Amino acid sequence: MKNKKSKIEIYVELDENKIPEKILWSASDAGIKNNETKATFLSVWDSERKESLRVDLWTKDMPLDEMKIFFHQILTSMASTYKRATHDEKMYQTMLDFCDYFAEKLELKK
């Protein structure tokens, strides 16, 4: 049996100053082809160097209020992923407490 492969692609159109103007992404397994987005944060683990590598991009027209919501959602999903990966309920709850604090300070919860 052959292993299944999946492809995720990110295309970035830059202006003359190399600032993202448009970001498109595709995911073969999800049937997503060239969907436009305003921001993407991608992290990968380099196990040889024991460090994370990141590609954090957002378009110059990404609204600030949406960026704040995006960050809150990333932090919340990171807490959930941390819990699934480590089964550390105590730290998960601590991370969620910070997420609530973050949302409160940015007045994201009305």
Side-chain angles (χ1 to χ4, degrees), residues 1 4 8 16 18-19 26 31-32 34 36-38 43-44 47 53 62 75 82 95-96 102:
M1 185 168 123
K4 182 170 174 36
I8 299 171
E16 63 279 352
K18 297 186 178 180
I19 296 173
S26 300
I32 297 169
N34 293 325
E36 190 168 349
T37 186
K38 298 288 183 191
S43 297
V44 296
S47 60
L53 307 171
M62 172 75 171
L75 292 170
Y82 178 83
M95 293 170 78
L96 287 183
F102 184 92

Short mmCIF file of all heavy atoms in Angstrom, two decimals, residues 1 4 8 16 18-19 26 31-32 34 36-38 43-44 47 53 62 75 82 95-96 102:
data_model
loop_
_atom_site.label_atom_id
_atom_site.label_comp_id
_atom_site.label_asym_id
_atom_site.label_seq_id
_atom_site.Cartn_x
_atom_site.Cartn_y
_atom_site.Cartn_z
N MET A 1 0.84 -1.19 0.00
CA MET A 1 0.00 0.00 0.00
C MET A 1 0.88 1.25 0.00
O MET A 1 1.81 1.37 0.79
CB MET A 1 -0.89 -0.01 1.24
CG MET A 1 -1.88 1.11 1.26
SD MET A 1 -3.11 0.81 2.54
CE MET A 1 -2.91 2.27 3.48
N LYS A 4 -0.31 7.87 1.45
CA LYS A 4 -1.04 9.01 0.89
C LYS A 4 -0.25 10.28 1.16
O LYS A 4 0.38 10.42 2.21
CB LYS A 4 -2.42 9.09 1.55
CG LYS A 4 -3.27 10.21 1.01
CD LYS A 4 -4.69 10.09 1.51
CE LYS A 4 -5.57 11.22 1.14
NZ LYS A 4 -5.41 11.84 -0.13
N ILE A 8 0.03 21.30 1.00
CA ILE A 8 -0.46 22.60 1.43
C ILE A 8 0.48 23.63 0.81
O ILE A 8 1.70 23.53 0.95
CB ILE A 8 -0.46 22.74 2.97
CG1 ILE A 8 -1.39 21.69 3.58
CG2 ILE A 8 -0.86 24.15 3.38
CD1 ILE A 8 -1.30 21.59 5.08
N GLU A 16 6.39 46.35 -4.44
CA GLU A 16 7.78 46.69 -4.77
C GLU A 16 8.69 46.72 -3.54
O GLU A 16 9.91 46.59 -3.64
CB GLU A 16 7.85 48.02 -5.53
CG GLU A 16 7.37 49.23 -4.76
CD GLU A 16 5.85 49.40 -4.74
OE1 GLU A 16 5.15 48.66 -5.44
OE2 GLU A 16 5.37 50.28 -3.98
N LYS A 18 8.43 44.50 -1.09
CA LYS A 18 8.35 43.13 -0.58
C LYS A 18 7.38 42.98 0.59
O LYS A 18 7.57 42.16 1.46
CB LYS A 18 9.73 42.59 -0.22
CG LYS A 18 10.67 42.50 -1.41
CD LYS A 18 11.97 41.85 -1.06
CE LYS A 18 12.85 41.75 -2.30
NZ LYS A 18 14.11 41.11 -2.04
N ILE A 19 6.33 43.78 0.58
CA ILE A 19 5.27 43.69 1.57
C ILE A 19 4.11 42.92 0.94
O ILE A 19 3.70 43.23 -0.18
CB ILE A 19 4.81 45.09 2.03
CG1 ILE A 19 5.99 45.80 2.74
CG2 ILE A 19 3.59 45.01 2.94
CD1 ILE A 19 5.73 47.23 3.09
N SER A 26 -3.72 26.88 -0.71
CA SER A 26 -4.38 25.69 -1.23
C SER A 26 -4.06 24.52 -0.29
O SER A 26 -2.96 24.45 0.26
CB SER A 26 -3.90 25.36 -2.63
OG SER A 26 -4.16 26.41 -3.53
N GLY A 31 -9.75 20.20 -0.43
CA GLY A 31 -10.40 20.72 -1.63
C GLY A 31 -10.32 22.23 -1.74
O GLY A 31 -11.13 22.85 -2.42
N ILE A 32 -9.34 22.81 -1.09
CA ILE A 32 -9.18 24.27 -1.12
C ILE A 32 -8.14 24.62 -2.18
O ILE A 32 -7.04 24.09 -2.18
CB ILE A 32 -8.74 24.79 0.26
CG1 ILE A 32 -9.83 24.52 1.29
CG2 ILE A 32 -8.41 26.28 0.20
CD1 ILE A 32 -9.42 24.74 2.72
N ASN A 34 -6.45 27.99 -4.02
CA ASN A 34 -6.21 29.42 -4.16
C ASN A 34 -7.23 30.29 -3.43
O ASN A 34 -7.72 31.27 -3.97
CB ASN A 34 -6.13 29.81 -5.64
CG ASN A 34 -4.92 29.22 -6.31
OD1 ASN A 34 -3.86 29.08 -5.70
ND2 ASN A 34 -5.05 28.85 -7.57
N GLU A 36 -8.19 33.13 -0.88
CA GLU A 36 -7.49 34.32 -0.41
C GLU A 36 -7.61 34.44 1.10
O GLU A 36 -8.64 34.10 1.69
CB GLU A 36 -8.05 35.57 -1.08
CG GLU A 36 -7.22 36.81 -0.82
CD GLU A 36 -7.59 37.99 -1.70
OE1 GLU A 36 -8.35 37.81 -2.66
OE2 GLU A 36 -7.09 39.09 -1.41
N THR A 37 -6.53 34.88 1.74
CA THR A 37 -6.53 35.15 3.17
C THR A 37 -5.75 36.44 3.41
O THR A 37 -4.96 36.87 2.57
CB THR A 37 -5.92 33.97 3.95
OG1 THR A 37 -6.07 34.23 5.36
CG2 THR A 37 -4.45 33.76 3.64
N LYS A 38 -5.97 37.05 4.55
CA LYS A 38 -5.27 38.29 4.91
C LYS A 38 -4.06 38.02 5.79
O LYS A 38 -3.21 38.89 5.94
CB LYS A 38 -6.22 39.25 5.64
CG LYS A 38 -7.40 39.71 4.80
CD LYS A 38 -6.96 40.67 3.74
CE LYS A 38 -8.15 41.18 2.95
NZ LYS A 38 -7.72 41.89 1.76
N SER A 43 4.23 27.52 11.65
CA SER A 43 5.39 27.14 12.46
C SER A 43 5.75 25.70 12.15
O SER A 43 4.87 24.85 12.00
CB SER A 43 5.08 27.25 13.96
OG SER A 43 4.79 28.58 14.30
N VAL A 44 7.04 25.44 12.06
CA VAL A 44 7.54 24.08 11.90
C VAL A 44 8.67 23.87 12.89
O VAL A 44 9.32 24.82 13.33
CB VAL A 44 8.02 23.79 10.45
CG1 VAL A 44 6.87 23.87 9.46
CG2 VAL A 44 9.13 24.74 10.04
N SER A 47 14.06 19.66 14.38
CA SER A 47 14.48 18.79 15.48
C SER A 47 16.00 18.72 15.62
O SER A 47 16.49 18.43 16.71
CB SER A 47 13.90 17.39 15.31
OG SER A 47 14.33 16.82 14.10
N LEU A 53 10.66 27.25 13.56
CA LEU A 53 10.87 28.16 12.44
C LEU A 53 9.49 28.67 12.05
O LEU A 53 8.53 27.91 12.00
CB LEU A 53 11.53 27.43 11.27
CG LEU A 53 12.82 26.69 11.61
CD1 LEU A 53 13.27 25.83 10.44
CD2 LEU A 53 13.91 27.65 12.02
N MET A 62 -4.75 44.12 6.04
CA MET A 62 -5.35 43.34 7.12
C MET A 62 -5.84 44.31 8.19
O MET A 62 -5.04 45.07 8.76
CB MET A 62 -4.32 42.37 7.72
CG MET A 62 -4.76 41.65 8.97
SD MET A 62 -5.92 40.35 8.60
CE MET A 62 -6.04 39.52 10.16
N LEU A 75 -3.94 31.92 19.86
CA LEU A 75 -3.54 31.60 21.23
C LEU A 75 -4.44 30.52 21.83
O LEU A 75 -3.96 29.57 22.47
CB LEU A 75 -3.56 32.85 22.11
CG LEU A 75 -2.50 33.91 21.78
CD1 LEU A 75 -2.79 35.20 22.54
CD2 LEU A 75 -1.11 33.39 22.09
N TYR A 82 -1.70 22.24 22.69
CA TYR A 82 -0.78 21.89 23.77
C TYR A 82 -1.37 20.80 24.65
O TYR A 82 -0.70 19.82 25.00
CB TYR A 82 -0.45 23.14 24.60
CG TYR A 82 0.45 22.85 25.76
CD1 TYR A 82 1.84 22.78 25.58
CD2 TYR A 82 -0.06 22.62 27.03
CE1 TYR A 82 2.68 22.49 26.64
CE2 TYR A 82 0.78 22.32 28.10
CZ TYR A 82 2.14 22.25 27.90
OH TYR A 82 2.97 21.95 28.94
N MET A 95 -3.09 28.60 30.33
CA MET A 95 -3.05 29.24 29.01
C MET A 95 -4.41 29.84 28.66
O MET A 95 -4.49 30.95 28.12
CB MET A 95 -2.58 28.25 27.95
CG MET A 95 -1.12 27.84 28.13
SD MET A 95 -0.64 26.46 27.08
CE MET A 95 -0.41 27.28 25.51
N LEU A 96 -5.49 29.12 28.96
CA LEU A 96 -6.83 29.65 28.70
C LEU A 96 -7.11 30.88 29.54
O LEU A 96 -7.77 31.83 29.07
CB LEU A 96 -7.90 28.59 28.97
CG LEU A 96 -8.00 27.46 27.95
CD1 LEU A 96 -9.17 26.53 28.31
CD2 LEU A 96 -8.16 27.98 26.53
N PHE A 102 -6.24 38.27 27.71
CA PHE A 102 -5.91 38.89 26.43
C PHE A 102 -7.17 39.47 25.78
O PHE A 102 -7.20 40.63 25.36
CB PHE A 102 -5.26 37.83 25.52
CG PHE A 102 -4.75 38.32 24.20
CD1 PHE A 102 -3.44 38.75 24.06
CD2 PHE A 102 -5.56 38.29 23.07
CE1 PHE A 102 -2.96 39.17 22.82
CE2 PHE A 102 -5.09 38.72 21.84
CZ PHE A 102 -3.79 39.16 21.72
#
